[in-house]
Amino acid sequence: MLSELVPVFGDKMKIYGGHWLRCDIPLFEHADTHVLYTDIDVVFLKDVVETAPKPKVIACGPEHNKGDYSYFNSGVMIMNVEAFARKRVALVEALKGRLSTTAPYDDQTLLNDVFRGEWDHLSDEWNWKPYWGRNDEAKILHFHGPKPANATVMQAGNQDIFGPDFKTIYNRSPEGYAYYVPVFEKYQE
């Protein structure tokens, strides 16, 4: 997918290329039938190997609201490698058709459009967000929106340096961030 994006966005793809590389997993993964992809802003809270679902094509959780499967968040995705490979042709064609209107960071909209009606729902616990509050059953914690460093600044009362999106997300559950930021920091030691 990067071969389509780099000529259009150039150096910006050095920042956003990783998001798009998930779409290339079927090009090099030939040993496993299913692959768990995550963004880098996650913490594994429980062992996921034994309980991972095996979707028909992909499985993802909701974007912003628990249980709202009208639009998925692709930061945690389980992929059926063979089925995704078959669908990848349509994904590349859809990308080519919108290169003039897409943004270099907006792989998720494309994925949602191409996989509409074909994706399995991951339970919220597989892509838990701090702004949903504490959940002792969460498997993967995803710092979607404010990252731990952002949340630490906000906890100190410095929210005004952030845009309205980050402030709104953080203020949905400052308690959730207060609980999960130390969990994240524990893994940095």
Side-chain angles (χ1 to χ4, degrees):
M1 307 261 329
L2 291 180
S3 61
E4 287 79 16
L5 293 158
V6 170
V8 176
F9 297 111
D11 284 345
K12 289 182 182 176
M13 293 315 297
K14 291 178 183 175
I15 298 169
Y16 300 111
H19 292 277
W20 294 93
L21 285 173
R22 80 183 91 200
C23 300
D24 291 342
I25 290 171
L27 300 179
F28 60 82
E29 177 53 55
H30 304 291
D32 292 314
T33 60
H34 291 80
V35 171
L36 170 64
Y37 164 89
T38 70
D39 286 349
I40 62 172
D41 55 351
V42 303
V43 176
F44 288 84
L45 301 173
K46 296 191 182 299
D47 184 358
V48 296
V49 174
E50 298 299 321
T51 59
K54 298 204 181 313
K56 292 176 187 158
V57 184
I58 60 170
C60 299
E63 172 73 348
H64 284 287
N65 299 309
K66 292 183 279 185
D68 178 2
Y69 293 100
S70 61
Y71 185 89
F72 64 75
N73 177 280
S74 60
V76 175
M77 174 190 298
I78 300 176
M79 177 187 302
N80 177 319
V81 177
E82 185 178 313
F84 194 97
R86 287 192 302 270
K87 194 71 177 178
R88 189 177 178 282
V89 174
L91 194 61
V92 171
E93 289 307 309
L95 174 62
K96 287 178 182 177
R98 61 171 73 175
L99 278 172
S100 64
T101 59
T102 196
Y105 53 80
D106 199 15
D107 59 304
Q108 186 168 276
T109 299
L110 178 69
L111 289 164
N112 268 273
D113 289 349
V114 171
F115 290 101
R116 188 163 319 283
E118 297 183 47
W119 59 284
D120 295 346
H121 301 168
L122 276 179
S123 69
D124 296 335
E125 289 75 22
W126 279 83
N127 192 351
W128 193 260
K129 283 62 164 209
Y131 54 83
W132 289 347
R134 181 178 173 173
N135 180 349
D136 293 334
E137 299 304 312
K139 296 175 183 289
I140 300 174
L141 174 66
H142 183 189
F143 281 93
H144 172 251
K147 308 307 177 217
N150 305 133
T152 300
V153 171
M154 291 179 170
Q155 288 166 337
N158 298 318
Q159 290 192 21
D160 291 338
I161 65 171
F162 297 98
D165 290 345
F166 266 28
K167 289 191 283 190
T168 298
I169 291 171
Y170 173 81
N171 285 316
R172 288 177 67 183
S173 182
E175 303 81 13
Y177 284 97
Y179 179 76
Y180 284 118
V181 167
V183 171
F184 171 81
E185 290 171 343
K186 180 178 88 174
Y187 287 98
Q188 288 189 306
E189 297 173 353

